[in-house]
Amino acid sequence: MQRSAKSLHLPVPDAGLLAGMVEDLVRKHLGDIPEPPSSLYLRPTLIGTLPNIGAAAAPSTEATLFVLASPVGDYFAGGARPLKLLVADTIARSTEQLGSTKTGGNYAAALGPTLAAKEEYGVDQVLFCPGGDVQETGAANFLLLSDEEIITKPLNSSFLHGMTRASIITLANDLGYRVNERNFTVAELLDWAASYEAALSGTAATLTPVGKLVYEGREMLVRDGGAGPNTEKLRKALQAIQYGDAPDTHGWLTEVS
Ligand SMILES: Cc1ncc(COP(=O)(O)O)c(C=O)c1O
């Protein structure tokens, strides 16, 4: 939130203030939290509110900060179905300035290509790889996994720095995987798809397996097209902490009662 507010030239909210707002809201709605694997989705939001018609060249010096909450169902109802992605190397999800900013415009920009890809190829999401650089989908980060190694793009300004990506990297290190944060190309991805598992990481999806890629009209399987064991292992490890079934050794949980 602070990084995105700064990049949008909005007033930067105090971290303690926002944490307190989230905790207060959760406390008020303890009774509305469904049993895992359902959850209470929380969405802190910041909007500029300065009454200024010439906004193109002047930032909003006033903003409203609020938190939305909604119970959501099990993302994996019916099982963790491996996803099919269109590998798109000619369109970007965002811009150079806003790739790592969480802002509505990025989702609007990704929507058109994603709807078109769903219609044309029957895919679930688009994997945006402008100029051949494998970045992320419209709302999740992208990882490759093997029994020994996790490969994912290193943090830069071109894509969103997801919390789940960071958590999975931490858990992968704990579990003895070699974490290889490196840039990789579409050509490398297509080459590795026969032996590596692929997965999307995000708050809602945790770690969702990718079973198929479509590139230049050709469809190919990622390994055998099924959910891979390393994806399952890391997803379960994260969920066990979230559900309170495994010790929270990294201090990720906040108790609200
Ligand atoms: C563009 C984009 N990338 C990645 C993610 C994953 O981020 P996180 O793990 O923090 O949910 C999201 C989540 O909303 C996203 O919108």
Side-chain angles (χ1 to χ4, degrees):
M1 172 61 83
Q2 289 189 318
R3 217 175 28 229
S4 293
K6 193 156 175 253
S7 119
L8 295 167
H9 300 277
L10 286 169
V12 176
D14 178 74
L17 171 74
L18 180 52
M21 288 167 66
V22 170
E23 286 172 36
D24 284 350
L25 185 66
V26 171
R27 199 171 291 112
K28 265 196 202 120
H29 291 281
L30 281 177
D32 298 318
I33 303 177
E35 285 299 311
S38 297
S39 56
L40 187 70
Y41 194 87
L42 297 163
R43 165 64 64 205
T45 309
L46 182 71
I47 52 171
T49 50
L50 187 74
N52 170 20
I53 201 93
S60 182
T61 51
E62 289 169 18
T64 298
L65 177 67
F66 55 97
V67 182
L68 300 168
S70 170
V72 290
D74 177 10
Y75 199 80
F76 291 108
R81 181 182 62 84
L83 301 179
K84 180 165 144 185
L85 306 184
L86 176 70
V87 178
D89 57 4
T90 55
I91 36 171
R93 182 192 67 93
S94 177
T95 62
E96 196 63 39
Q97 306 94 295
L98 293 178
S100 60
T101 300
K102 191 142 198 163
T103 182
N106 283 345
Y107 300 93
L111 192 56
T114 305
L115 292 178
K118 282 184 185 194
E119 168 104 19
E120 192 168 348
Y121 300 105
V123 295
D124 299 288
Q125 290 292 329
V126 173
L127 180 60
F128 291 94
C129 313
D133 174 37
V134 179
Q135 295 183 342
E136 61 174 334
T137 64
N141 294 127
F142 184 75
L143 300 96
L144 293 166
L145 308 92
S146 73
D147 290 351
E148 294 86 31
E149 186 184 32
I150 310 293
I151 302 177
T152 194
K153 189 173 172 58
L155 297 181
N156 70 10
S157 61
S158 71
F159 73 105
L160 197 93
H161 303 176
M163 212 55 226
T164 315
R165 172 191 175 282
S167 306
I168 293 290
I169 285 178
T170 302
L171 293 177
N173 275 318
D174 289 352
L175 292 168
Y177 288 91
R178 184 171 68 249
V179 175
N180 189 357
E181 288 182 76
R182 57 159 285 184
N183 290 307
F184 54 99
T185 63
V186 167
E188 286 172 313
L189 168 64
L190 300 179
D191 208 27
W192 296 338
S195 52
Y196 278 80
E197 298 169 34
L200 297 185
S201 74
T203 298
T206 324
L207 199 58
T208 302
V210 173
K212 282 184 192 150
L213 300 173
V214 179
Y215 181 64
E216 291 183 338
R218 265 192 329 116
E219 191 170 308
M220 69 201 71
L221 293 181
V222 178
R223 291 171 76 251
D224 61 0
N230 296 290
T231 305
E232 293 289 297
K233 182 167 151 184
L234 280 159
R235 186 176 88 238
K236 288 201 170 118
L238 180 58
Q239 285 178 329
I241 297 172
Q242 293 174 332
Y243 300 164
D245 294 336
D248 172 30
T249 54
H250 297 286
W252 289 338
L253 302 184
T254 300
E255 198 159 321
V256 174
S257 53

